[in-house]
Coordinates of all heavy atoms in Angstrom, one line a residue:
Chain A
C256 N -2.7 11.2 13.5 CA -1.3 11.0 13.6 C -0.8 12.0 14.5 O 0.1 11.7 15.4 CB -0.6 11.2 12.3 SG -0.9 9.7 11.4
S257 N -1.2 13.2 14.3 CA -0.6 14.2 15.1 C -1.0 14.0 16.7 O -0.3 14.3 17.6 CB -0.9 15.6 14.7 OG -2.2 15.6 14.3
S258 N -2.2 13.6 16.8 CA -2.6 13.4 18.1 C -2.2 12.1 18.7 O -1.8 12.0 19.8 CB -4.2 13.5 18.3 OG -4.7 12.4 17.7
G259 N -2.1 11.3 17.8 CA -1.4 10.1 18.0 C -1.5 9.0 19.0 O -1.1 7.9 18.7
Q260 N -2.0 9.2 20.2 CA -1.8 8.2 21.2 C -2.3 6.8 20.8 O -1.7 5.8 21.0 CB -2.5 8.4 22.5 CG -2.6 9.8 22.9 CD -3.7 10.6 22.3 OE1 -3.9 10.5 21.1 NE2 -4.3 11.3 23.2
S261 N -3.5 6.8 20.3 CA -4.1 5.5 19.9 C -3.3 4.8 18.9 O -3.5 3.5 18.8 CB -5.5 5.8 19.5 OG -5.5 6.7 18.4
L262 N -2.5 5.4 18.2 CA -1.8 4.7 17.2 C -1.0 3.5 17.9 O -0.7 2.5 17.3 CB -0.8 5.6 16.5 CG -1.5 6.5 15.5 CD1 -0.5 7.4 14.9 CD2 -2.2 5.6 14.4
L263 N -0.6 3.8 19.0 CA 0.2 2.9 19.7 C -0.4 1.6 19.9 O 0.2 0.5 19.9 CB 0.6 3.4 21.1 CG 1.5 4.6 21.0 CD1 1.6 5.3 22.3 CD2 2.8 4.3 20.4
K264 N -1.7 1.6 20.0 CA -2.4 0.3 20.1 C -2.1 -0.6 19.0 O -2.1 -1.8 19.2 CB -3.9 0.6 20.2 CG -4.2 1.3 21.5 CD -5.7 1.4 21.6 CE -6.2 2.1 22.9 NZ -7.6 2.3 22.9
D265 N -2.0 -0.1 17.8 CA -1.7 -1.0 16.8 C -0.3 -0.9 16.4 O 0.1 -1.1 15.2 CB -2.6 -0.7 15.6 CG -2.6 -1.8 14.6 OD1 -2.6 -2.9 15.1 OD2 -2.7 -1.5 13.4
H266 N 0.5 -0.7 17.3 CA 1.8 -0.5 17.1 C 2.5 -1.4 16.1 O 3.1 -1.1 15.2 CB 2.5 -0.6 18.5 CG 4.0 -0.2 18.4 ND1 4.5 0.6 19.3 CD2 4.9 -0.6 17.6 CE1 5.8 0.8 19.0 NE2 6.0 0.0 18.0
G267 N 2.3 -2.7 16.5 CA 3.0 -3.7 15.7 C 2.8 -3.5 14.2 O 3.7 -3.6 13.3
L268 N 1.6 -3.3 13.9 CA 1.2 -3.2 12.5 C 1.6 -1.8 12.0 O 2.1 -1.7 10.9 CB -0.3 -3.3 12.4 CG -0.7 -3.5 11.0 CD1 -0.4 -5.0 10.6 CD2 -2.2 -3.3 10.8
L269 N 1.3 -0.8 12.7 CA 1.5 0.5 12.1 C 2.9 0.9 12.0 O 3.3 1.8 11.3 CB 0.7 1.5 13.0 CG -0.7 1.4 12.8 CD1 -1.4 2.5 13.8 CD2 -1.1 1.8 11.5
Q270 N 3.7 0.2 12.8 CA 5.1 0.6 12.6 C 5.6 0.4 11.3 O 6.7 1.0 10.9 CB 6.0 -0.2 13.6 CG 6.0 -1.7 13.3 CD 6.6 -2.4 14.4 OE1 6.9 -1.9 15.5 NE2 7.0 -3.6 14.2
D271 N 4.9 -0.4 10.5 CA 5.2 -0.5 9.1 C 4.8 0.7 8.3 O 5.4 1.0 7.2 CB 4.6 -1.8 8.6 CG 5.1 -2.0 7.1 OD1 6.4 -2.0 7.0 OD2 4.3 -2.2 6.2
I272 N 3.9 1.3 8.8 CA 3.4 2.6 8.1 C 3.9 3.7 8.7 O 4.2 4.7 8.0 CB 1.8 2.5 8.2 CG1 1.3 1.3 7.7 CG2 1.3 3.8 7.6 CD1 -0.1 1.1 7.9
I273 N 4.0 3.8 9.9 CA 4.4 4.9 10.6 C 5.8 4.6 11.3 O 5.9 3.7 12.0 CB 3.5 5.4 11.8 CG1 2.1 5.6 11.1 CG2 3.9 6.6 12.4 CD1 1.0 5.6 12.1
P274 N 6.7 5.5 10.9 CA 8.0 5.3 11.5 C 7.9 5.2 13.0 O 7.2 5.9 13.7 CB 8.7 6.7 11.2 CG 8.0 7.1 10.0 CD 6.6 6.6 10.1
S275 N 8.5 4.1 13.5 CA 8.4 3.8 14.9 C 8.8 5.0 15.8 O 8.2 5.1 16.9 CB 9.4 2.6 15.2 OG 10.6 2.9 14.9

Side-chain angles (χ1 to χ4, degrees):
Chain A
C256 284
S257 43
S258 69
Q260 322 87 311
S261 54
L262 285 176
L263 294 172
K264 291 185 179 178
D265 197 32
H266 187 131
L268 193 76
L269 286 178
Q270 66 190 8
D271 186 51
I272 300 170
I273 304 166
S275 56

